[in-house]
Amino acid sequence: MNVIIFGPPGAGKGTQSNNIVKDFDLKQVSTGDLLRNEVKLQTTMGKKIESIINKGVLVPDKVVNSLIEQVVLDPKNFNRLIFDGYPRTLSQTYNLENLLKKFKQKISIVLNLCVDKEIILKRVNGRITCTKCFRIFNFYFNPPNSNNHYCEEKYLQKRTDDNSKIIQNRYTTYVAMIKPIIDYYTKKDSLSKIDGNQKIDEIYNKIKGILENIKDWHYAGFLYKFPWKNLTSLIYGTNSRH
Ligand code: AP5
Ligand code: MG
């Protein structure tokens, strides 16, 4: 099963992807994270990307498509990706479709998180991310504490594009680009609209229910959840090292 998760900045794409990864045998691929990794390297390309991200506009399709291609063609990721923040243009959408087709895969479901603008602004303002374990927290809604976060405090950081001016641009860019992409997946009957204004757990319960009903998850999910260890112990005996 391959999943796309859409939503404006701060909608909870990363938060919900983290939840999905825990319950389903999927791997999250966030183009934002991949691009921020390039920025960290401070290569010529990384510096260009940094200046684009800090304007709140989109990085060229060519750059993002090439990052995504590397992920899709890795056999470890076969039919188990959550695309978080990709595609964001029609050209990226067609690129993804062609790429998946080439590798005998498809998108199983597109989750569209719909969140009101005022809520987004508050979420983005309060966001802190751990640069070590990549968990996402929020000063107002989901603060880090000794029960949910184990890395040192120094790793908790705000993103450079999380300020009021850049967030306005990111939001406007999202609204300007997303409609034809949503129309594309609606026509393919793959789109599932989700009220993203609710609490994190409430949203996740809805998502979980949707994903559990997907046909190709039934088979993969069976294999994933099957108690292989117990079966091996039964065949070879409990202390077997086979
Ligand atoms: P990206 O990193 O993808 O940023 P974004 O799309 O703006 O989305 P965010 O990561 O800000 O939000 P999110 O939906 O993941 O929310 P989160 O779960 O963190 O992209 C950054 C930039 O990279 C782009 O602007 C662009 O320049 C470039 N880029 C990326 N992809 C590209 C592409 N395909 N093409 C071209 N350029 C690209 O949650 C936010 C906060 O809210 C957190 O603090 C969280 O704890 C909290 N929260 C989440 N859900 C809830 C809830 N239900 N209730 C209360 N709080 C909540
Ligand atoms: Mg994110």
Side-chain angles (χ1 to χ4, degrees), residues 10 13 15 31 36 57 85 88 127 137-138 159 170 198:
K13 302 183 290 294
T15 304
T31 36
R36 282 185 286 276
V57 295
R88 291 201 202 209
R127 171 168 47 198
F137 299 98
N138 196 290
R159 269 171 43 181
R170 284 161 60 198
Q198 297 165 307

Side-chain angles (χ1 to χ4, degrees), residues 7-16 30-33 35-36 52-53 56-61 64 84-89 92 113 123-124 126-128 136-139 141-142 159 161-162 167 170 196-200 203:
K13 302 183 290 294
T15 304
Q16 296 303 339
S30 152
T31 36
D33 287 346
L35 292 166
R36 282 185 286 276
I52 298 173
I53 288 183
V57 295
L58 294 182
V59 171
D61 289 339
V64 190
D84 159 3
Y86 183 92
R88 291 201 202 209
T89 63
Q92 292 180 17
L113 290 176
R123 285 188 190 170
V124 170
R127 171 168 47 198
I128 20 169
I136 305 163
F137 299 98
N138 196 290
F139 274 124
F141 304 114
N142 180 27
R159 269 171 43 181
D161 60 343
D162 275 354
I167 184 63
R170 284 161 60 198
N197 293 309
Q198 297 165 307
K199 293 202 170 119
I200 295 174
I203 300 169

Side-chain angles (χ1 to χ4, degrees), residues 64-75:
V64 190
N65 287 345
S66 126
L67 290 172
I68 281 291
E69 185 164 354
Q70 290 166 38
V71 177
V72 172
L73 58 78
D74 184 341

